[in-house]
């Protein structure tokens, strides 16, 4: 099976702007593009779309130089979809996520979540950072219960819910531990549970496994697959790891080096639920090869810029 | 034996005992000058001054001044330090004032305060307070400035109000630094108590005990006063460190895990 790719050009981003997923607009794409998208994911009714990013641009001044981090980025995600965003380091993918989360402001362009314009941070968009940002002064349970506490839930209710969430992420028995007593992987599970406590419509994950060792990362990817399927939330997951992007994603959005633009939007048509065996399959290898061919030049460019 | 030595506290305890032993040995061999007492002689002096009723009232007087000065100075220091940490206006005004006066030895203000208030307890407590203010202020301010901005994002994400974010995130994150500043203030309060008790009339307190011993060549009296100060200071520091370690347990664990 050939990986299905849609290289997003002007036409495609126009399509995204008009509320479709962009899968119809791959006309005039380079030879490796396959259009249109698969019928199973081809539902383009706009009420299916949860996240809509339109022509996002972000630039800022660094000293006297003007740096453009994002340049006309458009993408969308359907309800319940797992979207991975991949790109060379410094391509602005974290900035993109921060803008969707409402933590940073775009220079121009729109972010619409569930029909509402994003103006600031909110509980409908839960953020998970690369480093687990747990409050070190509270126990794991208190950390996970905190957003519920903020949301006005009663103590006992919040506590019970926190216990359930800790069970979901596999941390039963660690409720009374302090974050500093847990490994990096366990801390990240707890941070995920805390974010899930807000019941976000959209889960924003910024290279959440980037700081973990290779084996822990593999385990966490499988766990996340399971948790995502159990919770049914929509996920935007940033990574620079192609394996991770393919293994987790329904779609992989490929970004170019700075200024960040969208190079391609690849639908990953691998059966779910996925387990580690899928990583050894031929299809998986094909997707990986295809994405690497797209990223290779960008990665080399980013590398030479840094030197 | 090596395993026992590795246990925390055992090796350092043995080292302390060794220092005392050498000190005591030097005393027994007559190698110490007359004005340096051996540990055993100091213990005897402590007991004697306790029995004849000199030491306890002096300790009470000193401790009152120390506690009052420390409590006023460090609480104001923490308050203004945290305020400067969250308010740009407060920082501009207070921090400039503080950094200009920071290097001044606060005891140098004692004569001025005495002209105003006389050789009174109030004058002494005021100078101790001023001195205790600084470390508490500087560290409280630093505590609010070094907070991980991602933690504030977490609070924003959850929709926490500014008051809640301050109370449950900024304040908690600043606490280890606050505790360090207060601990320095605590040590300073004893130093300043001694200094103010060696000057002028109506002194009382351990400072006067030490001075009396010095002036009258009563070395046991002098050493009893010094030892009493050391004991009070040590106990106060242990108590503060123990209490703050318990309160800050999660953060201590985290700091330790970061190595």
């Amino acid at each position: 099976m050939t990986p299905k790719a849609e290289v997003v050009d002007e036409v495609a981003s126009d399509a995204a702007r008009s509320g479709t997923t962009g899968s119809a607009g791959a006309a005039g794409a380079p030879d490796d593009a396959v259009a249109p998208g698969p019928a199973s994911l081809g539902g383009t009714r706009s009420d299916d779309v949860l996240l809509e990013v339109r022509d996002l641009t972000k630039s800022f001044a660094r000293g006297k130089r003007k740096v453009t981090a994002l340049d006309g980025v458009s993408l969308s995600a359907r309800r319940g979809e797992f979207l991975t965003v991949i790109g060379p380091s410094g391509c602005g993918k974290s900035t993109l996520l921060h803008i969707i989360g409402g933590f940073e402001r775009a220079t121009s362009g729109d972010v619409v979540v569930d029909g509402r314009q994003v103006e600031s941070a909110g509980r409908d968009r839960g953020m998970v950072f690369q480093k687990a940002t747990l409050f070190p002064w509270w126990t794991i349970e208190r950390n996970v219960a905190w957003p519920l506490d903020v949301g006005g839930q009663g103590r006992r209710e919040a506590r019970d819910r926190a216990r359930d969430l800790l069970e979901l992420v596999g941390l039963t028995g660690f409720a009374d531990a302090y974050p500093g007593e847990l490994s990096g992987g366990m801390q990240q599970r707890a941070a995920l549970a805390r974010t899930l406590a807000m019941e976000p419509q959209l889960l924003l994950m910024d290279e959440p496994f980037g700081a973990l060792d290779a084996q822990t990362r593999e385990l966490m990817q499988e766990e996340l697959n399971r948790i995502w399927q159990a919770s049914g939330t929509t996920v935007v997951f940033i990574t620079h790891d192609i394996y991770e992007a393919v293994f987790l994603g329904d779609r992989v959005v490929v970004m170019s080096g700075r200024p960040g633009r969208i190079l391609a939007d690849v639908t990953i048509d691998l059966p779910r639920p996925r387990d580690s065996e899928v990583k050894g399959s031929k299809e998986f290898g094909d997707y990986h090869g295809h994405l690497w061919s797209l990223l290779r030049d960008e990665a080399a460019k980013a590398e030479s810029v840094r030197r | 034996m090596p395993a026992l030595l590795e246990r925390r506290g055992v090796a350092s305890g043995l080292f302390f005992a060794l220092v005392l032993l050498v000190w005591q040995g030097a005393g027994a061999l007559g190698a110490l000058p007359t004005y340096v007492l051996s540990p055993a002689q100091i213990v005897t002096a402590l007991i004697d001054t306790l029995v004849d009723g000199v030491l306890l009232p002096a300790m009470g007087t000193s401790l009152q001044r120390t506690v009052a000065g420390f409590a006023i100075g460090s609480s104001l220091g923490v308050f203004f330090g945290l305020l400067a940490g969250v308010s740009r206006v407060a920082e501009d005004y207070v921090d400039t004032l503080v950094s200009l006066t920071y290097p001044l030895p606060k005891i140098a203000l004692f004569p001025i305060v005495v002209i105003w208030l006389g050789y009174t307890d109030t004058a002494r407590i005021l100078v101790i307070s001023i001195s205790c203010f600084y470390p508490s202020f500087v560290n409280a301010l630093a505590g609010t400035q070094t907070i991980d901005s991602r933690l504030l994002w977490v609070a924003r994400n959850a929709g926490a109000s500014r008051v809640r974010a301050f109370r449950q995130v900024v304040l908690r994150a600043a606490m280890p630094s606050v505790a360090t500043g207060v601990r320095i203030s605590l040590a300073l309060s004893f130093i300043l108590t001694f200094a103010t008790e060696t000057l002028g009339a109506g002194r009382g307190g351990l400072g006067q005990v030490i001075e009396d011993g010095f002036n009258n060549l009563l070395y046991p009296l002098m050493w009893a006063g010094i030892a009493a100060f050391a004991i009070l200071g040590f106990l106060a520091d242990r108590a503060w460190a123990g209490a703050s370690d318990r309160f800050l347990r999660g953060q201590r664990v985290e700091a330790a895990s970061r190595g």
Side-chain angles (χ1 to χ4, degrees):
Chain A
M1 195 189 77
T2 330
K4 296 182 178 71
E6 298 136 17
V7 173
V8 176
D9 54 15
E10 292 303 315
V11 184
S13 44
D14 279 342
R17 224 169 279 144
S18 63
T20 68
T21 60
S23 57
D31 45 25
D32 62 342
V34 176
S40 61
L41 293 169
T44 53
R45 286 181 299 124
S46 61
D47 60 344
D48 257 16
V49 174
L50 179 74
L51 166 70
E52 182 97 63
V53 174
R54 292 191 209 114
D55 208 13
L56 212 61
T57 299
K58 171 77 175 179
S59 51
F60 51 88
R62 179 175 288 170
K64 277 179 186 160
R65 265 181 337 127
K66 185 185 154 206
V67 179
T68 304
L70 296 173
D71 187 12
V73 169
S74 297
L75 58 85
S76 64
R78 281 185 294 279
R79 242 170 255 284
E81 195 171 27
F82 200 121
L83 192 72
T84 53
V85 179
I86 191 164
S89 37
C91 76
K93 47 194 196 294
S94 286
T95 307
L96 170 65
L97 206 64
H98 294 165
I99 293 171
I100 298 173
F103 299 103
E104 286 185 49
R105 301 208 68 123
T107 309
S108 67
D110 296 307
V111 176
V112 176
V113 173
D114 201 21
R116 282 190 305 272
Q117 189 90 18
V118 166
E119 305 283 356
S120 60
R123 292 166 72 93
D124 57 329
R125 285 150 288 133
M127 187 88 184
V128 177
F129 298 97
Q130 177 170 8
K131 203 186 111 227
T133 49
L134 297 165
F135 298 127
W137 45 87
W138 283 329
T139 61
I140 294 299
E141 182 189 280
R142 184 87 169 81
N143 264 284
V144 175
W146 190 69
L148 301 168
D149 185 21
V150 174
Q153 264 193 43
R155 233 178 201 193
R156 173 167 296 175
E157 218 177 321
R159 206 185 106 113
D160 290 346
R161 178 83 184 115
R163 297 254 169 185
D164 289 347
L165 285 163
L166 286 176
E167 196 187 327
L168 175 71
V169 299
L171 282 180
T172 313
F174 292 95
D176 297 325
Y178 284 101
E181 293 168 324
L182 302 188
S183 68
M186 289 158 90
Q187 289 185 21
Q188 204 54 280
R189 286 165 192 258
L192 178 59
R194 179 182 60 186
T195 308
L196 290 175
M198 299 189 293
E199 293 180 17
Q201 288 187 295
L202 190 57
L203 194 56
L204 305 170
M205 307 186 80
D206 188 6
E207 299 194 37
F209 309 146
L212 305 178
D213 66 76
Q215 283 120 47
T216 309
R217 190 186 310 178
E218 298 256 339
L219 279 176
M220 293 293 288
Q221 289 164 2
E222 290 174 30
E223 284 283 277
L224 179 61
N225 244 336
R226 181 180 64 75
I227 292 163
W228 166 70
Q229 290 206 306
S231 67
T233 33
T234 313
V235 182
V236 180
F237 186 105
I238 303 271
T239 181
H240 58 254
D241 178 340
I242 301 178
Y243 282 102
E244 190 167 79
V246 174
F247 180 67
L248 291 171
D250 290 325
R251 272 164 58 216
V252 178
V253 170
V254 183
M255 284 181 71
S256 70
R258 182 165 284 172
R261 290 192 185 95
I262 297 211
L263 280 182
D265 190 332
V266 181
T267 300
I268 306 297
D269 201 1
L270 293 171
R272 291 196 185 265
R274 294 174 191 164
D275 53 26
S276 56
E277 266 155 49
V278 78
K279 291 186 185 174
S281 71
K282 181 181 177 304
E283 289 85 352
F284 193 95
D286 289 344
Y287 282 122
H288 183 278
H290 175 62
L291 288 168
W292 175 232
S293 71
L294 288 170
L295 272 172
R296 190 191 180 94
D297 294 346
E298 294 300 324
K301 250 186 272 167
E303 189 59 21
S304 66
V305 166
R306 210 173 310 149
R307 278 208 202 105
Chain B
M1 189 62 188
L4 186 67
L5 275 178
E6 275 166 30
R7 205 180 297 165
R8 252 189 107 214
V10 173
S12 58
L14 280 176
F15 179 71
F16 182 65
L18 185 71
V19 170
L20 283 183
L21 208 67
V22 170
W23 186 359
Q24 184 65 39
L29 293 170
L32 295 175
T34 48
Y35 56 84
V36 179
L37 269 55
S38 71
Q41 287 170 316
I42 293 173
V43 172
T44 312
L46 267 173
I47 294 168
D48 288 349
T49 45
L50 276 171
V51 169
D52 65 21
V54 173
L55 204 57
L56 270 184
M59 282 171 89
T61 304
S62 287
L63 205 56
Q64 258 172 17
R65 292 168 179 160
T66 307
V67 168
F70 162 74
I72 296 167
S74 62
S75 57
L76 287 176
V78 169
F79 176 79
F80 282 104
L82 294 174
L83 187 70
V86 292
S87 153
R88 176 62 62 80
V89 180
E91 188 189 352
D92 287 349
Y93 285 93
V94 188
D95 198 28
T96 310
L97 191 66
V98 166
S99 33
L100 281 173
T101 53
Y102 190 41
L104 179 79
K106 276 21 125 207
I107 188 70
L109 298 174
F110 192 49
I112 300 166
V113 173
V114 163
I115 295 171
W116 176 32
L117 295 168
Y119 283 113
T120 56
D121 267 8
T122 314
R124 294 195 165 89
I125 289 168
L126 180 59
V127 174
I128 299 167
S129 302
I130 294 170
S131 216
C132 287
F133 175 87
Y134 285 80
S136 291
F137 174 87
V138 170
N139 284 280
L141 176 58
T144 60
Q145 287 172 336
T146 51
I147 179 172
D148 179 356
S149 63
R150 291 286 189 268
L151 295 183
L152 295 172
W153 282 24
V154 170
R156 274 171 69 191
N157 199 169
S161 66
R162 285 175 66 98
V163 173
R164 184 193 280 270
F166 174 74
R167 210 160 41 81
Q168 296 191 322
V169 181
V170 177
L171 211 54
R172 295 302 292 259
M175 275 305 137
S177 186
V178 169
T180 303
V182 170
R183 193 172 170 187
I184 299 169
S185 292
L186 188 59
L188 261 184
S189 68
F190 283 96
I191 297 169
L192 267 287
T193 301
F194 169 75
T196 61
E197 284 175 352
T198 56
L199 295 166
R203 293 168 287 168
L206 289 172
Q208 179 163 19
V209 169
I210 295 167
E211 271 267 295
D212 285 352
F214 169 75
N215 288 331
N216 304 307
L217 306 182
L218 296 169
Y219 297 132
L221 185 64
M222 188 175 86
W223 278 97
I226 293 170
F229 252 139
I231 291 166
L232 288 178
F234 174 77
L235 291 178
D237 183 64
R238 285 291 88 203
W240 179 260
S244 52
D245 278 353
R246 196 159 317 129
F247 180 69
L248 300 171
R249 194 176 137 217
Q251 278 149 296
R252 298 289 192 232
V253 170
E254 207 221 3
S257 73
R258 263 187 276 127

